[in-house]
Each structure stands twice: as structure tokens, then as C-alpha cells.
């Protein structure tokens, strides 16, 4: 590329004076979207840039190229982009830049590079790095050392504060997984618990249409599951549009990222997120105060005796239990409560646990069908806590313990409906017409295997040493 004597770099705050002109920009990438197709044959993505003159809201750049591979892949927090021959446009009182594939070019540089490091890690078209560009890159690198992108914690709620709708979230990427061709899920955690959801499914549908155990189609392999934290909810984030594998490098395991405008939904009572065509990502500095705050709250929680219990079920003091936890009585009062992720990832196939859970489904749910023809209890409960869902069976003498023998159909139904959160109305339980909000209860769980030739593959769970106490 020939060197032009009239070459001039534009600082972002001067953009309003250059509408409809082609300009050159060197700035820091604040946030970026994933590739998507245009109405034609091109691909596009959107970046938001900041510099020392314009770091409150920044400036948007829309980049168009002939394929997804040519779009910028921002590698890390504070990386710098050099844009040549981009056109400034006015749009709803803002100034945006447009990158055209036929005349524009870009280069990406490490934001933490040395003063003499001007080798870009990605280039589109030919880019000439002038002395002015080098000075600008180094100036931005020095600026970033003492500048942390401001973020209000209210702007990035914790997972325990989420509701259905569009939100910003900050979380640690734990895993990235392909469930179907070009259909990926990202697993994100911040150490807090997602709020429990009201259930609207009909109990009689559980046998033919059971509640899902996870929001994705297949469970994680055990070797992956065992690498994940056992306390705090793990949010699955799916993608509205197909995603190419190379663009998932931005979701590096162990790194914290900020998700901008993620849509949060509930499926079968389970939370999940959707990365839409309008969602964006921000890399985070390792010392971002949001990371420090999340880590501090998590560390404080783990130090508590009740730290493994769902936050919504925690006792107000160590000497008292919430009223809902008094619905059941267990024979292992001194044992520490563990999460269902602790149960799933326990290193031994057979073991015993105590957990605080919600009973979200039963199969069968009709009291008259709980027993086999021989008169023994035989049913399956679906248990959930903020970390996981599992099926746990109630069989034979464990059912006698749970329901206090065989107190009759009406009493068994009343006891089970207390677990399921079925609302009582006019001396009868309304099953079909009322949403359910099952209470937190304490249960004992034991794991066992069905096949000696496949102990892990045939691992199941049972409720034992747990009794539903008499109540209203």
C-alpha cells in the first residue's frame, strides 16, 4: 500500500465532524458480536470501540466481509484494532463507522504487547503500520494500564437476581460444547444460585412427558461434569444463530466474560440463556472488580456451615431452620448438606448423601398407584437444587419410612402434595389449574448401580431415611 502524506488518525471524540468521510482509527475493542449473515451474501459483525477521548459509550463499527473467517476475532481484554478507510455515518444522534470489504482494512494487536510489538495477530487486506499508528497503539496500551472499563454492578446482575427477559451478565466460562452440528452451548457460572421457578406442568404428564433433567438435549459426559464447581448454578447459554467452531475461541474455559443483552428464558422450570443476533461480548481484565466481588461472595459462602445449601433455603441462624425444611425429617442430622452436583460427581459409585432439594415431579403421582401389586411402594421423584436435577426412586421400606407406613390413600396423597407444592383449595388439592412452587426440603439420598458390568452407566439414586412429618 502506498504511503499517503495526508494520512491522519481520528480520535473517537472527533468523529462527529467527519460524517460521510473515510477515516482511519486506532482504538480499543470494548465489545463485539459474533458473525451473522446479511440479507445478501456477505457476513457481518459489530464492534464497539473506546479510546481515552470517548470511553463512556464508545463508537459502533459495523464490519462487512465476504465470509465469517475474515471477520475480526478479538482475542483478549484491551486488544487494539487499526481500521483504515472506514466511512462514518450518522444514525439516531450517534456516529457509527462502516467497514466495507472492497476498500477498508483492519489489523488486530495485543493490548498488552511490548512497546516494539507491532505485529498484528489478524489482518484483513493489506495494512501499513506508520509511525503515527505505532505511537497511537503504544499510547493506548499505556492508557489501559491504569484504566479499567467502568461497570456498575447493577448493570451486571448476579445469577441469583435474574428474571426472564434481556439482561447483561458477567460470568466465568466453564465449558463449551457442541450438542448438534453448528449448535453449541456455553456453560457459565458466577458462584450464586439462580432463583427457583414456579412449575406449570401437569403432574399427570410426568410419565409420558417428564420434566427435563437439563436444558440441553444430552447430559454432559462424566469426565467433563467432574471438572465443574459443585456449588452455584451453571447457566447454559445457547445460540440463536449457527456458530462456527473457530469463533468459539472467545469462550475460553476459566476466563470471565461479560454478556451484553443475553435473553434469559425458562424451559421446564430450568433457566437458560440465548445469545441472540443482538447480543455482544466483552472480555474482562483479570482484576475487574466484578470478578473480585463475585469471588469474595463465593469464598464467604463456602466458609459457612450452610454454604452448600441453596441460598433461598439457608437458615437465618445456625440454631433454626426455615419452616419449609421442617416438612421432612432425616435420620442423619449431623451430616453436612451437599449439593446435587456433589452427588453426581462423587468419586464412588455407591455412597450416601444429605441434600436440600425441591421435589418437582413424581411418577406416578396418583396415590393409589404408588404400590406394586405386592403392596410395596414403587415411585420416582424428580429432585432439583440450583446445581442439578436428578431422578430418585422411592422403593419398598424407604417408601414406608417416607410416608410413615401405609396411612391410607388420602393421607399419602396429602403428604406427597406437600412435597410437590400443590395448592390446597376447598379441602381438595388442585393439581391441574394452579402453578406449583415446591418447598425446599431435606432428604437423604443413596447411590447404587444396577449392572456390575457398567457400574457408572447404570448408577441410580434412591431416597432413604427420610420421613414426611405430619402437618396441615
Amino acid at each position: 500500500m502506498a504511503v499517503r502524506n495526508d494520512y491522519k488518525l481520528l480520535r473517537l471524540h472527533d468523529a462527529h465532524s467527519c460524517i460521510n468521510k473515510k477515516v482511519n482509527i486506532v482504538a480499543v475493542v470494548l465489545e463485539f458480536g459474533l458473525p451473522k449473515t446479511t440479507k445478501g451474501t456477505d457476513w457481518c459483525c459489530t464492534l464497539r470501540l473506546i479510546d481515552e477521548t470517548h470511553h463512556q459509550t464508545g463508537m459502533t463499527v459495523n464490519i462487512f466481509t465476504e465470509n465469517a473467517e475474515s471477520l475480526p476475532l478479538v482475542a483478549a481484554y484491551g486488544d487494539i484494532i487499526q481500521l483504515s478507510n472506514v466511512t462514518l455515518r450518522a444514525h439516531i444522534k450517534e456516529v457509527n463507522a462502516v467497514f466495507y470489504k472492497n476498500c477498508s482494512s483492519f489489523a488486530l494487536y495485543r493490548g498488552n504487547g511490548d512497546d516494539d510489538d507491532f505485529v498484528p495477530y489478524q489482518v484483513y487486506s493489506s495494512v501499513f503500520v506508520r509511525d503515527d499508528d505505532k505511537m497511537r497503539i503504544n499510547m493506548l496500551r499505556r492508557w489501559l494500564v491504569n484504566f479499567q472499563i467502568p461497570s456498575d454492578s447493577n448493570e451486571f446482575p448476579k445469577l441469583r437476581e435474574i428474571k426472564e427477559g434481556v439482561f447483561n451478565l458477567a460470568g466465568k466460562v466453564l465449558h463449551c460444547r457442541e450438542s448438534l452440528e453448528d449448535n453449541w452451548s456455553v456453560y457459565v457460572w458466577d458462584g450464586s444460585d439462580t432463583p427457583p421457578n414456579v412449575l406449570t406442568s401437569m403432574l399427570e404428564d410426568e410419565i409420558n412427558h417428564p420434566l427435563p433433567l437439563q436444558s440441553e438435549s444430552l447430559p454432559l459426559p462424566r469426565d467433563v461434569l467432574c471438572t465443574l464447581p459443585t456449588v452455584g448454578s451453571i447457566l447454559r447459554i445457547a445460540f440463536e444463530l449457527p456458530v462456527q467452531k473457530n469463533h468459539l475461541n472467545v469462550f475460553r474455559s476459566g476466563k470471565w466474560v461479560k454478556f451484553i443483552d443475553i435473553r434469559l428464558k425458562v424451559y421446564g422450570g430450568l433457566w437458560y440463556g440465548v445469545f441472540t443476533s443482538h447480543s455482544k461480548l466483552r472480555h474482562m481484565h483479570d482484576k475487574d472488580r466484578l470478578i473480585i466481588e463475585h469471588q469474595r461472595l463465593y469464598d464467604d459462602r463456602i466458609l459457612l456451615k450452610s454454604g452448600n445449601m441453596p441460598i433461598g433455603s439457608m437458615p437465618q441462624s445456625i440454631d433454626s431452620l426455615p419452616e419449609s425444611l421442617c416438612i421432612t425429617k432425616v435420620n442423619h442430622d449431623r451430616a453436612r448438606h451437599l449439593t446435587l452436583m456433589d452427588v453426581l460427581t462423587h468419586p464412588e459409585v455407591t455412597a450416601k448423601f444429605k441434600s436440600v432439594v425441591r421435589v418437582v415431579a413424581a411418577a406416578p403421582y396418583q396415590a393409589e398407584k404408588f404400590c406394586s401389586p405386592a403392596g410395596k411402594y414403587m415411585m420416582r421423584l424428580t429432585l432439583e437444587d440450583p446445581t442439578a436435577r436428578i431422578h430418585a426412586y422411592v422403593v419398598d421400606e424407604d417408601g414406608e419410612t417416607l410416608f410413615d407406613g401405609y396411612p391410607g390413600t388420602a393421607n399419602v396423597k396429602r403428604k406427597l402434595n406437600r412435597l410437590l407444592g400443590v395448592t390446597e383449595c376447598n379441602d381438595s388439592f388442585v393439581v391441574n389449574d394452579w402453578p406449583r412452587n415446591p418447598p425446599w426440603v431435606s432428604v437423604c439420598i443413596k447411590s447404587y448401580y444396577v449392572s456390575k458390568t457398567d457400574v457408572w452407566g447404570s448408577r441410580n439414586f434412591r431416597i432413604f431415611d427420610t420421613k414426611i412429618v405430619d402437618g396441615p
Side-chain angles (χ1 to χ4, degrees):
M1 179 183 291
V3 180
R4 292 171 49 186
N5 293 328
D6 61 347
Y7 179 82
K8 184 178 180 180
L9 283 176
L10 182 76
R11 282 172 168 74
L12 296 184
H13 85 289
D14 296 326
H16 66 277
S17 63
C18 300
I19 304 299
N20 297 326
K21 294 181 180 179
K22 289 184 178 179
V23 299
N24 307 293
I25 296 171
V26 176
V28 175
V29 181
L30 172 64
E31 62 187 41
F32 53 94
L34 295 180
K36 54 188 176 183
T37 56
T38 65
K39 294 181 180 179
T41 59
D42 287 345
W43 286 74
C44 68
C45 73
T46 301
L47 309 181
R48 184 168 290 275
L49 310 182
I50 60 171
D51 66 10
E52 78 285 6
T53 71
H54 193 32
H55 53 76
Q56 294 301 320
T57 58
M59 185 176 74
T60 297
V61 181
N62 297 305
I63 297 183
F64 298 87
T65 61
E66 61 275 9
N67 54 57
E69 291 76 17
S70 299
L71 292 169
L73 290 173
V74 183
Y77 168 86
D79 280 359
I80 295 167
I81 191 165
Q82 175 189 2
L83 295 165
S84 300
N85 291 326
V86 293
T87 304
L88 294 182
R89 303 292 189 193
H91 179 68
I92 313 178
K93 296 183 180 180
E94 292 186 0
V95 178
N96 299 334
V98 182
F99 179 105
Y100 294 106
K101 63 180 182 180
N102 295 326
C103 61
S104 305
S105 58
F106 75 77
L108 280 167
Y109 302 87
R110 299 288 180 185
N112 59 356
D114 297 329
D115 284 351
D116 58 352
D117 178 11
F118 302 110
V119 178
Y121 62 82
Q122 186 184 356
V123 173
Y124 180 87
S125 189
S126 56
V127 175
F128 188 86
V129 187
R130 300 163 176 79
D131 289 340
D132 288 350
D133 301 316
K134 295 177 181 179
M135 291 175 60
R136 184 81 178 125
I137 291 170
N138 278 335
M139 193 284 297
L140 290 171
R141 285 170 173 167
R142 289 191 292 270
W143 172 64
L144 279 173
V145 170
N146 298 314
F147 175 80
Q148 186 173 130
I149 298 168
S151 57
D152 186 347
S153 58
N154 294 328
E155 184 186 355
F156 292 89
K158 300 174 181 63
L159 287 179
R160 71 187 186 195
E161 301 165 333
I162 62 175
K163 301 177 182 178
E164 286 193 86
V166 177
F167 280 83
N168 298 334
L169 293 175
K172 184 179 183 179
V173 175
L174 302 176
H175 183 62
C176 195
R177 179 197 191 195
E178 185 177 21
S179 52
L180 299 170
E181 185 178 357
D182 292 334
N183 190 355
W184 293 77
S185 294
V186 176
Y187 294 69
V188 178
W189 170 93
D190 72 1
S192 68
D193 294 342
T194 52
N197 287 301
V198 170
L199 298 161
T200 58
S201 61
M202 294 185 180
L203 288 166
E204 62 266 30
D205 286 346
E206 178 62 20
I207 293 179
N208 295 322
H209 304 285
L211 285 176
L213 295 184
Q214 63 280 322
S215 59
E216 63 271 44
S217 56
L218 295 173
L220 284 170
R222 177 174 171 80
D223 60 335
V224 175
L225 197 71
C226 291
T227 66
L228 305 181
T230 60
V231 176
S233 298
I234 299 172
L235 182 72
R236 278 70 166 169
I237 297 179
F239 294 89
E240 183 179 65
L241 301 174
V243 182
Q244 297 187 359
K245 186 175 181 179
N246 64 318
H247 284 96
L248 292 166
N249 293 332
V250 297
F251 301 104
R252 287 178 291 169
S253 295
K255 286 293 186 180
W256 287 74
V257 296
K258 293 176 181 176
F259 294 88
I260 311 300
D261 292 340
I262 291 289
R263 184 170 295 279
L264 297 173
K265 295 186 175 183
V266 176
Y267 164 65
L270 295 172
W271 287 102
Y272 72 103
V274 179
F275 196 100
T276 73
S277 58
H278 301 292
S279 302
K280 303 290 187 300
L281 282 171
R282 292 184 193 175
H283 289 306
M284 296 177 71
H285 191 280
D286 291 339
K287 295 182 180 180
D288 190 296
R289 69 179 187 84
L290 284 179
I291 299 177
I292 296 171
E293 179 185 354
H294 283 302
Q295 192 64 55
R296 178 185 59 80
L297 292 173
Y298 176 75
D299 292 342
D300 290 346
R301 176 184 181 181
I302 294 300
L303 291 175
L304 296 174
K305 183 179 179 180
S306 57
N308 282 16
M309 296 170 63
I311 289 177
S313 72
M314 285 187 181
Q316 298 301 312
S317 71
I318 60 174
D319 299 320
S320 65
L321 288 174
E323 183 179 348
S324 63
L325 290 185
C326 298
I327 290 176
T328 58
K329 179 177 177 57
V330 297
N331 293 336
H332 301 271
D333 290 335
R334 295 185 179 181
R336 187 186 184 196
H337 286 97
L338 299 176
T339 68
L340 292 184
M341 273 291 283
D342 285 317
V343 174
L344 289 172
T345 59
H346 193 270
E348 298 178 359
V349 177
T350 59
K352 296 179 179 180
F353 314 90
K354 185 174 74 170
S355 298
V356 173
V357 302
R358 300 201 308 162
V359 181
V360 295
Y365 87 95
Q366 300 94 337
E368 60 273 14
K369 296 182 179 180
F370 289 170
C371 299
S372 68
K376 298 294 184 180
Y377 284 103
M378 186 180 302
M379 63 186 302
R380 187 191 75 190
L381 302 180
T382 303
L383 312 180
E384 77 167 22
D385 72 2
T387 68
R389 266 187 191 169
I390 66 169
H391 292 315
Y393 294 89
V394 179
V395 181
D396 298 340
E397 66 275 8
D398 295 327
E400 296 177 13
T401 301
L402 185 66
F403 295 105
D404 196 16
Y406 295 88
T409 300
N411 285 327
V412 169
K413 180 179 181 179
R414 177 176 56 84
K415 288 174 180 282
L416 180 61
N417 280 330
R418 289 186 71 199
L419 293 185
L420 291 168
V422 177
T423 303
E424 185 176 6
C425 182
N426 297 328
D427 297 324
S428 64
F429 289 97
V430 180
V431 174
N432 295 331
D433 300 329
W434 291 83
R436 295 181 292 113
N437 188 15
W440 295 108
V441 296
S442 182
V443 298
C444 290
I445 303 168
K446 60 183 174 182
S447 59
Y448 63 99
Y449 58 86
V450 177
S451 172
K452 290 184 178 180
T453 60
D454 184 16
V455 293
W456 284 109
S458 65
R459 190 185 190 216
N460 282 337
F461 304 100
R462 287 175 64 168
I463 300 292
F464 80 105
D465 280 358
T466 303
K467 178 182 178 181
I468 305 171
V469 301
D470 289 329

